[in-house]
Each structure stands twice: as structure tokens, then as C-alpha cells.
Amino acid sequence: MLRSMLHQARSIRVRPGLDDKVLADWNGLMIAGLAHAATAFGEPSWIDKASRAFRFVAASMTRADRLGHSWRDGRLLIPGLASDFASMIKAALALHEATGDSFYLDRAVAWQQALDRHYTNPETGGYFLTADDAEGLVVRPSSTMDDATPNPNAVAAQNLVRLAVLSGDAAWRGRADRLFDGLLPIAAENLFGHMALLNALDLRLRAAEIVITGTGPDALLAAALKVPFVERIVLRAPTADALPAAHPARAKIAAAPRAAFVCAGERCSLPVTDPDRLGETVAAMRG
């Protein structure tokens, strides 16, 4: 009775506005989270949801290799922000690791190239928030501190580390190192405001590359993807040719065509064929 009276009285008032626009950066963080959770908890339906959201952004919020920031009712606000690129690249890499689909890796590479072309801050090696062809501002924002969400420079640093492994192109690792060289002195003045950047540095220094060889060891692949994503990068290598020529696991694949190798730096573990042993091998190589 009281509830119905309240609803009736409320219906007389003007309804508040509804903010129903789609944001590329927030969706990117959500998509990556869904992809990581799907592999951690064995929920393939979450991959489907993440993929649908990703493909909407890739189709409706992208013009050539440029992302927009917001979409509503068929209207796209473009160009996007560095946060849009960093978050959607993160989403693309998460889906590529989860599915092995090269579509996501290709998108990540194209967007990273656009981010470098239009947002790079030459003084720090990091990124401005706005594009070089966006509406002019008195000062282009270039904050490096985390806010309610991780700073796009920190997200980009993590992306570059993963891109180097997943694409086999060491130039991305060099780009990440230039970003670290420029931003870590700034981060030293306020560590708590740069936690995402420090996480990226930890990934650069201590990440375990889990190389899954052959086409059959699904249990090993599932075990690799269950390792916390902040500690690992999963690389599928059906044959040795799928790895860069200098990769330390390349020569070992011939001796163990269906196995997992855990690599850190220039070292790789002995072949792992038991999924239950993969976690302890990762811990040993990262230690």
C-alpha cells in the first residue's frame, strides 16, 4: 500500500536523465576482466559475452584504425582518448590469450600502432590523454597517476610487454622499456599513485611465458590459463616455426612436441606434461 502510494507520487516528477552511452575504455576493462575470469573459473559463456562486446566496439566504435570514445544512438564521438586505446588493446590481448584467435591480436597491433602515432609524449616516452588531431586544448593532459581506473600509461605498458611475446616482435618490448625509463622516475615521487605502472614493471621483469606446444594438450592449455594473468603470458606454438627464431623454447619443441615450457628471460623449464605440475613450475621459474 505505502509502496504503491510512493510510486504514484514519484510518477508525477520529471524522470532523471539516463546516461546510456557506451564508453570504449570502460568496456575494454570489462571485456578483459570477463576473459580472464572465464579462463580462471572455466566459464566459456563469459568468453562469448566478452567477444560480443568486443566486436561491437571494433565494428561500431572504430574508424579504420582509430577508436572513438563514446557511442550512443548511432553517434560516435571520435577521436578517442589514450585510455580507450589502452583498455581495448588490453581486451584484445586477453581474448587472444583465451581463444588463440588471431583476429584479436591483429586488432591489438593496429590499435597500438595508432596509439603510438597519435598520442606519444616524446618528452616522457609515455602517452598524452588526447590525440594530436583532437580539438585543441590549452594543455594536453598527460597524467601518469592512477585514478578510479588504472592510468592509460600503465595499461599500455602492460600491453606492450604482452604484445612483444604474443606477436614475436621484440620492438614492442623496446617501446615498453622506453616508457618505463621515462615514467618510473616520476612514479618514484608517489609510488601509491602509480601501482598499476609498478604492476606492469613486475610483469616485464618476472612474467612467466607459458609456451603450449602441439595442437592436442587441451588440459595443459586450460591449466596455463588458470595461472593468474598478472603472472603469466600464454603463447600457443603448434610448431617451432610459430616462435621467433631467438626464442629459447624453439629448439626444445622437437624433443617434446606436445608439452608446456615455462620460460623466464632466456631460460625455459624442462617439458611439463602433467597439468597439475604447471603451477609449481611457474612459481619455480618466477622465483
Side-chain angles (χ1 to χ4, degrees):
M1 178 66 175
L2 291 176
R3 184 185 294 271
S4 64
M5 292 173 63
L6 178 62
H7 285 174
Q8 184 178 2
R10 190 175 66 179
S11 67
I12 300 173
R13 302 178 61 181
V14 176
R15 295 185 66 86
L18 177 64
D19 186 356
D20 58 354
K21 61 182 177 291
V22 179
L23 299 178
D25 49 4
W26 287 11
N27 269 274
L29 295 176
M30 177 275 297
I31 292 165
L34 266 180
H36 291 313
T39 55
F41 295 105
E43 291 284 351
S45 63
W46 296 352
I47 292 288
D48 295 336
K49 292 178 180 179
S51 179
R52 287 199 300 273
F54 182 93
R55 289 178 183 272
F56 173 83
V57 176
S60 299
M61 298 184 66
T62 305
R63 301 291 181 267
D65 62 353
R66 303 291 297 276
L67 275 163
H69 175 60
S70 66
W71 180 96
R72 183 183 183 278
D73 197 24
R75 298 181 62 183
L76 178 66
L77 179 62
I78 194 167
L81 305 173
S83 57
D84 298 307
F85 280 88
S87 296
M88 284 304 299
I89 294 167
K90 178 182 177 74
L93 296 175
L95 281 169
H96 174 67
E97 283 194 68
T99 66
D101 191 335
S102 61
F103 165 75
Y104 300 114
L105 182 59
D106 292 342
R107 281 282 80 195
V109 170
W111 284 336
Q112 184 62 50
Q113 290 171 340
L115 178 63
D116 285 346
R117 187 164 59 250
H118 294 286
Y119 297 81
T120 295
N121 182 343
E123 294 185 3
T124 66
Y127 299 98
F128 291 109
L129 182 63
T130 57
D132 56 4
D133 57 354
E135 182 178 350
L137 300 173
V138 175
V139 177
R140 284 177 79 185
S142 58
S143 171
T144 62
M145 292 182 61
D146 300 328
D147 204 337
T149 56
N151 186 272
N153 284 282
V155 178
Q158 295 180 38
N159 293 340
L160 288 164
V161 173
R162 291 186 184 276
L163 265 177
V165 176
L166 296 172
S167 69
D169 186 350
W172 296 122
R173 189 175 292 107
R175 180 68 182 89
D177 289 345
R178 289 194 298 276
L179 187 154
F180 287 128
D181 289 344
L183 298 190
L184 285 175
I186 300 173
E189 299 176 3
N190 185 344
L191 295 179
F192 291 106
H194 294 84
M195 286 299 177
L197 183 65
L198 296 181
N199 286 338
L201 179 62
D202 183 71
L203 184 74
R204 169 67 177 93
L205 297 176
R206 301 178 63 242
E209 294 181 30
I210 307 178
V211 181
I212 306 297
T213 67
T215 57
D218 292 340
L220 280 172
L221 177 60
L225 291 171
K226 286 184 182 297
V227 175
F229 73 93
V230 295
E231 300 177 0
R232 53 77 174 162
I233 304 171
V234 177
L235 183 61
R236 292 168 170 82
T239 66
D241 292 337
L243 296 174
H247 197 286
R250 186 180 175 103
K252 297 187 176 187
I253 291 181
R258 296 182 63 178
F261 295 93
V262 181
C263 303
E266 299 301 317
R267 301 178 301 124
C268 289
S269 69
L270 294 173
V272 179
T273 56
D274 182 357
D276 294 334
R277 292 191 54 211
L278 190 57
E280 64 184 59
T281 305
V282 169
M285 293 297 293
R286 294 186 79 236

